[in-house]
Amino acid sequence: QIHRGDPLFDLALVLARAEDDMAQEAIKLSAGARVAEAMVELLEPALEAGSAGLADRAAILALSVLANLACIGAHTQLLAPTVDAVDIFVAVLQSPRLVASHPLALPYAVAGVRNLANHSKAASQLRADGGEALLEGLVASGYHGVPLDEALAVHCKAALGHIAALAPPGDKDTGETPAERGARLQREARAERQAIVARARAVRTLQQYARRWLLTRRLPA
């Protein structure tokens, strides 16, 4: 149990830590309590033009809860017409005002899209409503010219892989079948994840060598 004096923060944190059986229980409990719908009610004022956006603590925590529900697989709740979390995440990604209003807005929205895209309904919606093109733009050019960090780029490519594999082809003609394109994007995302891990390992090794070198410099002759 977590008690921080802020029920909304506690909810976001519990969902972020939910795994396996706990995740399944969290999905059942959140469905019964209509958590996703409650988060939409908190977010709606923040999404309106002229608002403070996601700078409001309750709004950014509500977005976090939706992203964490997507992560644990609560797709049924999030894709319900009364919630439509795909539309919310895409609306955040499309709005420089909302992204600029909180440093976690972009990571939460990307994570939400990435974790919903592995559902065929969400994948089809992302293709039909322009979410796929938005993700492709993020990978190619970053967010308004600012390159994405490595983790966000990996999430975007993973989402694109799911969309390519699960959504109807529509008007896209890349010379690849949806399955081929999905597999390619998944391979690219996996390779980037491995590269990130390798770079982090190299940095730790260099740090260890640097500390040893400093210790030898401090030892008396």
Side-chain angles (χ1 to χ4, degrees):
Q1 293 184 348
I2 302 169
H3 300 287
R4 299 287 180 88
D6 184 339
L8 192 54
F9 179 86
D10 287 353
L11 175 61
L13 195 57
V14 166
L15 291 174
R17 295 179 177 179
E19 295 180 356
D20 303 325
D21 292 343
M22 182 180 175
Q24 294 306 309
E25 186 65 21
I27 291 172
K28 292 178 184 177
L29 291 173
S30 60
R34 303 172 73 91
V35 166
E37 291 184 21
M39 296 305 104
V40 172
E41 290 178 6
L42 285 173
L43 275 167
E44 282 178 341
L47 299 180
E48 293 177 358
S51 72
L54 298 167
D56 179 73
R57 178 178 173 81
I60 194 63
L61 284 173
L63 188 67
S64 170
V65 168
L66 291 180
N68 289 334
L69 282 171
C71 184
I72 64 174
H75 295 69
T76 301
Q77 300 172 53
L78 296 173
L79 299 177
T82 52
V83 177
D84 196 359
V86 171
D87 188 60
I88 290 174
F89 292 133
V90 170
V92 173
L93 293 176
Q94 288 175 329
S95 171
R97 179 184 68 86
L98 293 174
V99 170
S101 67
H102 198 286
L104 292 175
L106 182 61
Y108 286 160
V110 168
V113 168
R114 183 254 184 275
N115 285 302
L116 283 178
N118 62 2
H119 189 285
S120 59
K121 180 180 178 181
S124 297
Q125 184 177 344
L126 286 164
R127 171 160 290 175
D129 295 349
E132 181 182 33
L134 180 62
L135 291 168
E136 288 172 338
L138 289 174
V139 171
S141 307
Y143 195 81
H144 290 271
V146 179
L148 299 182
D149 66 37
E150 292 175 315
L152 286 182
V154 167
H155 282 313
C156 287
K157 286 191 175 183
L160 287 169
H162 289 311
I163 296 168
L166 297 173
D171 296 327
K172 295 183 72 67
D173 183 11
T174 61
E176 298 173 301
T177 67
E180 288 171 342
R181 185 166 183 268
R184 174 176 60 78
L185 289 168
Q186 293 287 2
R187 286 195 301 272
E188 290 176 0
R190 185 162 53 250
E192 288 200 26
R193 283 195 297 271
Q194 292 170 346
I196 291 171
V197 171
R199 282 192 288 272
R201 188 180 297 117
V203 168
R204 287 195 298 270
T205 301
L206 287 172
Q207 289 172 337
Q208 290 172 354
Y209 281 126
R211 283 194 292 269
R212 290 173 188 169
W213 183 80
L214 287 172
L215 284 172
T216 60
R217 296 281 292 181
R218 292 171 185 166
L219 292 174

